[in-house]
Amino acid sequence: ARDVSWFTSLCFSFRGHLLDLPWEDILVPHILCHLPLRQLLTLQRVSKAFQSLIQLYLANIRCFDSSQVGPHVPKAAFCHLLKDNQVLQQLVLQNCSDWLTDKELLPVIGQNHHLQEIQLSSCLQLSRHALVAISLSCPHLRRLCLAHCEWVDSLSLRSLADHCKGLESVDLTACRQLKDEAICYLVQKCGRLKSLSLAVNANVGDAAVEELAKCCPELEHLDLTGCLRVKNESIRVLAEYCPRLRSLKVKHCHNVAECSLSVLRGRGVELDVELPLQRALVLLQDGVGLAPFINLQI
């Protein structure tokens, strides 16, 4: 923070000499890239020349994270910051639920065809048109977070699956409109999925999990927290078809028992439910030979 403050003061004091350096060859790639975005926005007030320099920098950034601007991003500021950018690869929008609508997002999506990651968690005022726009404009998309976006429906998810087949990570936590059919279509089209969250979705059941297992053999992380319709059978299919699985969350899945989780647990898969106490004592007995000292009748 001290270095940033020092550099800002230096900019105010020697702005003429600093601006004499080559902008695109020196200032943008080697100096401005080391400053926090919030500090760069402050520099815009130094002079019109600095404003032009910062706008040039913003037009060439590959990653935009709204949390770097401050706790609340003004709508007008967001539109101004990215109006010239056509090279974004990562777009992270947080603390934007109060103002971000299709009107602000769609122009940014429409002019950035190289996006590989988009995070829209809890952006409640968007609509299904936003997801359709993403699917049509972002063929290279790899990671997408739509957690708590209840506007996501089966038709917009189908559009995503049809056009973004290279997806590797999708977060659909609490997208409550989605049912098994929509998830099945997604995984059939996007066989490279490594991470998927279907948490807090009471409409998701065994059909979706089994299709996921059969279509996505590279799956590593799956979150089924609170998926009440998921049962033991689909967990067994998951264990059979997904040898690379590293973590599985099934907390509050009341129809999933240890009998289906034991195979995954034996493979070292990280689970968010603890081993039942009686079974744990049996394993302890087998491991250290304490049978005479343990009463297994609990």
Side-chain angles (χ1 to χ4, degrees):
R2 181 178 300 176
D3 291 340
V4 171
S5 177
W6 174 85
F7 181 79
T8 304
S9 300
L10 190 67
C11 290
F12 275 93
S13 302
F14 303 102
R15 52 183 179 269
H17 300 290
L18 184 68
L19 293 172
D20 289 338
L21 294 173
W23 288 15
E24 296 189 31
D25 295 331
I26 301 296
L27 292 180
V28 169
H30 298 295
I31 295 180
L32 298 187
C33 63
H34 296 293
L35 295 178
L37 185 56
R38 191 184 309 183
Q39 201 71 38
L40 291 174
L41 300 182
T42 301
L43 290 178
Q44 287 191 112
R45 299 197 294 266
V46 175
S47 67
K48 289 184 177 180
F50 260 99
Q51 185 176 7
S52 298
L53 172 62
I54 301 305
Q55 199 60 45
L56 174 65
Y57 171 79
L58 293 171
N60 288 278
I61 59 173
R62 300 295 196 271
C63 172
F64 178 83
D65 186 341
S66 62
S67 65
Q68 296 179 0
V69 180
H72 300 286
V73 184
K75 180 189 301 187
F78 171 77
C79 297
H80 177 72
L81 291 175
L82 296 179
K83 67 183 179 66
D84 298 324
N85 194 300
Q86 299 181 16
V87 295
L88 276 180
Q89 295 182 4
Q90 183 181 22
L91 180 62
V92 180
L93 297 178
Q94 303 173 6
N95 305 318
C96 303
S97 59
D98 293 339
W99 58 266
L100 185 67
T101 68
D102 293 355
K103 182 179 179 181
E104 291 78 39
L105 181 64
L106 265 57
V108 175
I109 296 298
Q111 67 190 30
N112 281 282
H113 305 296
H114 302 286
L115 278 162
Q116 297 182 18
E117 178 177 355
I118 300 176
Q119 295 189 30
L120 298 173
S121 178
S122 300
C123 290
L124 307 179
Q125 297 192 50
L126 298 175
S127 76
R128 60 183 301 272
H129 299 295
L131 186 53
V132 173
I134 289 171
S135 66
L136 296 177
S137 298
C138 307
H140 306 293
L141 196 63
R142 296 292 179 267
R143 297 171 296 278
L144 178 62
C145 178
L146 298 169
H148 304 284
C149 294
E150 296 195 20
W151 43 266
V152 176
D153 61 9
S154 59
L155 288 178
S156 57
L157 194 69
R158 279 176 169 262
S159 179
L160 179 73
D162 285 335
H163 297 93
C164 299
K165 297 180 181 180
L167 281 167
E168 297 178 357
S169 176
V170 179
D171 189 340
L172 298 172
T173 298
C175 293
R176 295 187 175 91
Q177 289 196 58
L178 300 177
K179 300 181 180 180
D180 281 348
E181 294 80 7
I183 302 303
C184 288
Y185 192 88
L186 173 69
V187 300
Q188 288 166 2
K189 297 286 186 175
C190 302
R192 300 179 187 175
L193 278 176
K194 296 181 179 180
S195 177
L196 179 64
S197 176
L198 302 172
V200 199
N201 194 330
N203 294 318
V204 170
D206 284 344
V209 177
E210 291 180 16
E211 194 68 17
L212 168 66
K214 294 175 181 178
C215 294
C216 302
E218 298 181 20
L219 188 69
E220 297 179 0
H221 306 282
L222 177 60
D223 190 346
L224 298 173
T225 303
C227 293
L228 303 179
R229 294 177 56 235
V230 173
K231 301 181 180 64
N232 287 319
E233 184 55 37
S234 63
I235 301 301
R236 294 190 182 98
V237 174
L238 193 69
E240 179 180 357
Y241 284 89
C242 297
R244 299 185 182 183
L245 192 67
R246 295 166 52 192
S247 69
L248 173 66
K249 295 183 179 181
V250 288
K251 188 172 288 186
H252 307 303
C253 295
H254 304 305
N255 294 311
V256 175
E258 183 60 29
C259 61
S260 63
L261 296 174
S262 57
V263 175
L264 293 171
R265 200 184 296 277
R267 279 177 17 201
V269 175
E270 180 182 343
L271 303 172
D272 65 340
V273 290
E274 294 183 1
L275 187 68
L277 180 58
Q278 183 169 348
R279 176 62 177 155
L281 290 175
V282 171
L283 293 177
L284 180 62
Q285 166 195 315
D286 294 341
V288 297
L290 294 178
F293 306 102
I294 296 178
N295 179 7
L296 298 180
Q297 300 301 318
I298 299 175

